[in-house]
Amino acid sequence: MALGVFLFAQSLPAAITLNGSTLEVRGDKTVEDALKASGIRPKPGDLVAVDGSLLEADKGKPFHATINGQDVSDLKAKLASGDIVEIGNGGSVEEPSDVVEEVIPWEAQQEGDGAIHIIEGTGQDGKKSTKTGKTSGIVVDQVTQEPVNPVIRNVTPDVGDDKVIALTFDDGPWAEQTGAVLDVLAAYGAKATFFTVGDRIEQDHGAEYVKRAAAEGHQICTHSYDHARGSGKSTNLGFMSHEERVAEVEKGYAAIEAVTGTEASRVFRTPGGNFGPEVIRSIGPLIKAEIGWNIDSGDWNRPGVDAIVEQLENAWPGSIVLMHDGGGDRSQTVEALKTALPCLEEQGYRFITMDELMQYPLS
């Protein structure tokens, strides 16, 4: 009797909703039976090339169907009363292809022309696929993930009526001449920013001068660990490998922190001021800002005390002045400071650190 009841139930039609209309499906009650009962004749899709052009008509998917929202591809799929079925034309099928994935490197977008270079955002590489159709031979490129490009804001501090100047010193500490620079700054109550070279801190009593500079309120930053010596030719981190560039910054920080016992400033100056795209890619995530300059004192070339003084006395409110306490004999620098600082002080100028300068609005 149970078998009879089952067979009777199986013989009853399935009442379904097909494309919004009620339909009774008999027989095996499959999608194929529903098509026969409805009279619907789906049009097959096409076989297309990787660029979307037609290769063969009607060689794509034969139909499109869902049962209760779930895709089905088998005409023999069973239906039950109450099912909601959608059936329509088949979709296109893309030819088989060979696919090569490539990275799209992110690139920093530059804005402005100021001497303070602030990185906003974190770069993220994109992705591109190149498809070559196995039937057509057609080649197409497709960006599958857009790169995320950080912005380098090259800004200038708006100091208003404040007559402030940022004196910066590169390449030290360097024997007693760093001490001589500190003596002159102390005599005039001037604060400065020292962009130190890490391996100089570790020799010739360099640690003592860094400790003194920090204790006297000067800002201690890194100018790399060894000024891009070796593959960087002592001038450009861009000549180095990614790993070398990262090491130059991280080891520079470590040299400062070993002496001061505090986290090193993330304000950085690249050797030679060479802050190109590859350098930005490597060290951008490691720094807060890269610092250029408005006035090059020229002291690195030892042009004579008067020439250095002339450059210093041309400073204006908010300017960043490049000088050196290391990299060779800096006696001209020391003597120029003795002349220029009192002159500028008489004009109402104050001498502040980069951190202090960057507290002003930056635009």
Side-chain angles (χ1 to χ4, degrees):
M1 182 179 293
L3 177 60
V5 171
F6 173 77
L7 293 175
F8 176 74
Q10 289 295 100
S11 69
L12 294 175
I16 67 168
T17 300
L18 175 61
N19 292 354
S21 299
T22 301
L23 178 72
E24 289 190 347
V25 181
R26 299 180 182 276
D28 292 334
K29 291 172 278 194
T30 64
V31 171
E32 186 175 29
D33 293 326
L35 284 172
K36 290 177 180 178
S38 67
I40 295 173
R41 298 291 180 267
K43 176 177 172 54
D46 300 323
L47 177 65
V48 298
V50 290
D51 66 349
S53 60
L54 178 66
L55 287 179
E56 291 187 76
D58 302 335
K59 294 298 184 180
K61 292 182 179 179
F63 65 93
H64 172 73
T66 63
I67 301 176
N68 301 324
Q70 299 297 313
D71 287 337
V72 294
S73 57
D74 185 1
L75 285 173
K76 301 300 183 183
K78 293 285 188 178
L79 299 174
S81 289
D83 283 346
I84 297 175
V85 182
E86 295 287 337
I87 297 178
N89 294 334
S92 297
V93 172
E94 185 177 278
E95 66 174 317
S97 60
D98 293 318
V99 181
V100 177
E101 298 285 347
E102 295 181 68
V103 169
I104 305 174
W106 60 261
E107 297 182 2
Q109 307 297 308
Q110 302 278 347
E111 293 183 358
D113 57 4
I116 299 173
H117 312 134
I118 296 177
I119 302 174
E120 294 184 344
T122 300
Q124 181 178 334
D125 291 337
K127 295 179 182 178
K128 180 181 78 170
S129 66
T130 299
K131 288 184 177 182
T132 303
K134 290 186 176 181
T135 301
S136 67
I138 294 172
V139 179
V140 295
D141 292 329
Q142 180 181 12
V143 175
T144 56
Q145 180 177 315
E146 293 286 351
V148 178
N149 297 319
V151 174
I152 308 292
R153 287 203 305 127
N154 304 312
V155 297
T156 299
D158 181 2
V159 301
D161 295 329
D162 290 350
K163 301 182 77 172
V164 293
I165 296 171
L167 300 175
T168 66
F169 294 89
D170 287 9
D171 298 348
W174 196 277
E176 295 181 357
Q177 62 194 28
T178 297
V181 169
L182 290 171
D183 289 342
V184 179
L185 295 176
Y188 294 97
K191 296 295 182 284
T193 301
F194 287 85
F195 288 101
T196 60
V197 176
D199 65 354
R200 292 298 310 173
I201 297 174
E202 299 170 350
Q203 58 185 299
D204 296 335
H205 304 284
E208 297 175 16
Y209 296 114
V210 170
K211 285 181 180 178
R212 177 185 167 187
E216 293 180 0
H218 303 291
Q219 185 174 347
I220 311 300
C221 302
T222 188
H223 187 40
S224 77
Y225 179 72
D226 61 15
H227 210 280
R229 196 164 58 238
S231 59
K233 301 180 181 179
S234 297
T235 58
N236 194 338
L237 295 177
F239 299 151
M240 307 180 92
S241 69
H242 167 76
E243 292 76 16
E244 289 174 321
R245 290 190 282 264
V246 170
E248 284 281 346
V249 177
E250 291 183 338
K251 290 173 68 177
Y253 289 154
I256 294 170
E257 290 168 0
V259 171
T260 63
T262 59
E263 183 180 5
S265 169
R266 265 43 184 176
V267 172
F268 178 76
R269 176 173 282 159
T270 53
N274 294 305
F275 195 49
E278 291 306 313
V279 176
I280 293 171
R281 283 183 62 83
S282 294
I283 72 170
L286 305 177
I287 67 176
K288 172 185 176 183
E290 199 276 336
I291 306 301
W293 54 84
N294 307 115
I295 296 175
D296 181 354
S297 69
D299 65 341
W300 54 274
N301 199 33
R302 293 190 284 277
V305 173
D306 290 344
I308 299 171
V309 169
E310 181 179 358
Q311 291 300 314
L312 295 178
E313 292 183 349
N314 284 333
W316 60 86
S319 57
I320 302 169
V321 181
L322 171 66
M323 306 184 76
H324 297 78
D325 63 321
D329 177 11
R330 297 300 171 217
S331 57
Q332 291 183 8
T333 302
V334 173
E335 293 306 312
L337 286 169
K338 291 177 181 178
T339 299
L341 292 192
C343 177
L344 291 167
E345 194 175 65
E346 287 177 6
Q347 298 175 44
Y349 279 100
R350 295 184 295 113
F351 307 97
I352 63 176
T353 66
M354 281 306 308
D355 273 354
E356 291 171 327
L357 186 63
M358 290 170 66
Q359 292 302 307
Y360 287 93
L362 301 173
S363 60

